[in-house]
Amino acid sequence: MKTTTSTVRAATLLAPRRLEVREYPYPESLEPGAVLLRMLASGICGTDKHTYRGETEQYLGTEYERSTPFPIIQGHENVGVVAEVGPGGAVAFDGMPLAAGDRVIPAPNRACGRCHMCSRGFPYYLCRNIENYGNSLTCAVAPHLFGGWSEYLYLKPGTAMFRVPEELPDEVAVLTEIFAVTHSLERAAAMRRPAGFRPGDTVAIIGAGPLGVAHAIKASLMGAGQVLVLDPSSKRRGLAARVADAVSIAPGDGAAAEVRGRCRGEGLDVVVNATGFPGAFAQATAIVRDGGTIIEVGAFVDMGDEAFNPAVICGRSLSLLGVGGEDLRCYEGTLALLARHHRHIAFDEIVSHRFAIEDAPAAMTTALDADVSAKVLIVPSSGPQ
């Protein structure tokens, strides 16, 4: 049912460090197959922090390397309720029609479905014509509402949408995207020995932000014998210890020795680098065992060069797995996993703060302080919490 409102409030990033709340016209009509989502919550991702600071070079080294087209409405970790569906209707990923009132998780990206990579069935983040909500779609162009830090989100035709199980709270459902990225561990599990991941293996996560904590939880659920988490923030390490039953280790000169002491001096089977900052990759190579696996999930944005000798990979027979995002085929399973475990795993503790749209600048300031925050949400109907 069409709302009676004529304007939509949205937090708008005009340029690096210029985040303002602006009003946009409520869409008068939707194109065929489009969906208008009334937002319930949207997370502040590490990529959003990079963009806010002006670190905007994404997909480095690919044919579709790009920089942020300011102004934008950020927000790609979203959960909302279908407000309107365009002419001809739209379907969820399960093939069933969507209707007003359906609570859904929209994919953060829209693939073209036609390029060489799409036609071969590769993960949609390898699409050569990919569009990213909250990242690559400027709000300077109508209908403007292409990010989740808004009262409404406009989803273009062909955007994948996933139904949220009725029992799953919004503050857990909004974590679906980061948990879908943990398909990295499932990919590692498909690798043959001596690399890969098997139940009983020792796993370390470098970086205990929400993405790192999600990987720690997933590794535990997949049967890791031991999960270690390294992060400068004692608050974030404590969060990982509580919700993922992880061992907290403060990085520093003695960290590598402590890690090796926990795995018979051989090093870890799998190391996940979820920091997004230079220097952590060298740390990963220092604690992984010979023949082990390093999973790189954090370096989506170009933060500068990092010196590394590739002879180390050959000499130590290391496997390196780079993951550019989540896989659409993992969403339904991820939602089922969250629904099954949310009553005995405190996923909601990953959310540390909630801010209303008008408080988005304060929300970003909080999100940038790793000593006080984990996952920060923009919630249209909520004040600071």
Side-chain angles (χ1 to χ4, degrees):
M1 180 180 295
K2 188 176 178 67
T3 181
T4 57
T5 187
S6 60
T7 59
V8 176
R9 294 175 306 138
T12 306
L13 190 63
L14 304 176
R17 300 186 183 275
R18 290 186 58 198
L19 185 59
E20 298 180 3
V21 178
R22 295 200 163 185
E23 291 191 344
Y24 298 89
Y26 185 92
E28 293 184 359
S29 61
L30 275 63
E31 60 191 304
V35 170
L36 190 67
L37 210 62
R38 176 174 61 82
M39 288 301 301
L40 296 173
S42 183
I44 297 181
C45 175
T47 302
D48 298 318
K49 300 174 195 178
H50 286 304
T51 303
Y52 177 81
R53 290 191 295 246
E55 300 151 2
T56 61
E57 298 304 314
Q58 301 176 357
Y59 298 103
L60 185 68
T62 71
E63 295 179 1
Y64 46 99
E65 182 176 334
R66 63 182 58 157
S67 189
T68 305
F70 296 109
I72 63 168
I73 300 170
Q74 292 177 282
H76 60 271
E77 299 174 356
N78 301 313
V79 59
V81 173
V82 174
E84 292 188 50
V85 179
V91 297
F93 195 75
D94 61 11
M96 299 300 291
L98 287 166
D102 289 344
R103 187 167 59 130
V104 298
I105 299 290
N109 309 303
R110 186 180 80 141
C112 71
R114 303 182 306 274
C115 70
H116 177 68
M117 303 303 279
C118 285
S119 64
R120 296 182 67 191
F122 287 113
Y124 79 145
Y125 50 75
L126 293 175
C127 170
R128 296 313 191 208
N129 305 298
I130 196 168
E131 293 179 313
N132 316 97
Y133 291 102
N135 275 301
S136 73
L137 295 168
T138 177
C139 60
V141 178
H144 312 291
L145 308 175
F146 297 124
W149 300 359
S150 173
E151 293 175 301
Y152 289 88
L153 170 63
Y154 188 97
L155 299 169
K156 293 186 173 186
T159 301
M161 283 165 271
F162 305 86
R163 300 179 193 278
V164 179
E166 185 176 349
E167 68 271 24
L168 197 60
D170 294 341
E171 63 267 25
V172 178
V174 76
L175 303 173
T176 302
E177 192 264 352
I178 61 170
F179 271 91
V181 178
T182 65
H183 79 93
S184 60
L185 289 165
E186 292 160 349
R187 287 179 59 186
M191 298 167 65
R192 297 182 60 184
R193 282 298 198 192
F197 170 60
R198 299 292 183 275
D201 280 355
T202 54
V203 179
I205 316 294
I206 302 178
L211 182 62
V213 173
H215 276 80
I217 293 173
K218 185 67 166 289
S220 180
L221 288 173
M222 291 178 66
Q226 189 172 200
V227 179
L228 315 179
V229 172
L230 295 84
D231 193 285
S233 168
S234 60
K235 180 181 178 70
R236 290 191 168 191
R237 294 198 312 272
L239 172 64
R242 289 195 308 276
V243 302
D245 193 25
V247 176
S248 167
I249 296 179
D253 293 339
E258 181 177 355
V259 168
R260 289 184 174 275
R262 291 179 175 274
C263 44
R264 302 177 301 281
E266 293 294 334
L268 294 141
D269 297 296
V270 179
V271 179
V272 179
N273 183 21
T275 68
F277 290 95
F281 190 81
Q283 186 180 11
T285 61
I287 60 176
V288 71
R289 66 167 169 80
D290 289 354
T293 299
I294 298 173
I295 302 175
E296 177 62 57
V297 297
F300 179 69
V301 174
D302 180 18
M303 291 292 291
D305 295 335
E306 180 167 352
F308 179 73
N309 187 345
V312 173
I313 295 177
C314 295
R316 297 183 56 201
S317 297
L318 300 180
S319 294
L320 174 60
L321 176 60
V323 177
E326 79 296 338
D327 190 323
L328 289 180
R329 294 165 293 190
C330 297
Y331 268 81
E332 291 177 323
T334 297
L335 282 161
L337 180 145
L338 294 173
R340 177 182 179 184
H341 293 286
H342 83 275
R343 289 185 177 87
H344 64 273
I345 296 178
F347 298 115
D348 56 345
E349 283 197 37
I350 297 174
V351 176
S352 61
H353 297 80
R354 300 164 182 81
F355 288 84
I357 289 171
E358 55 266 27
D359 298 314
M364 180 58 78
T365 298
T366 301
L368 289 170
D369 189 344
D371 289 329
V372 301
S373 70
K375 175 60 67 180
V376 178
L377 301 184
I378 304 293
V379 182
S381 60
S382 175
Q385 297 180 33

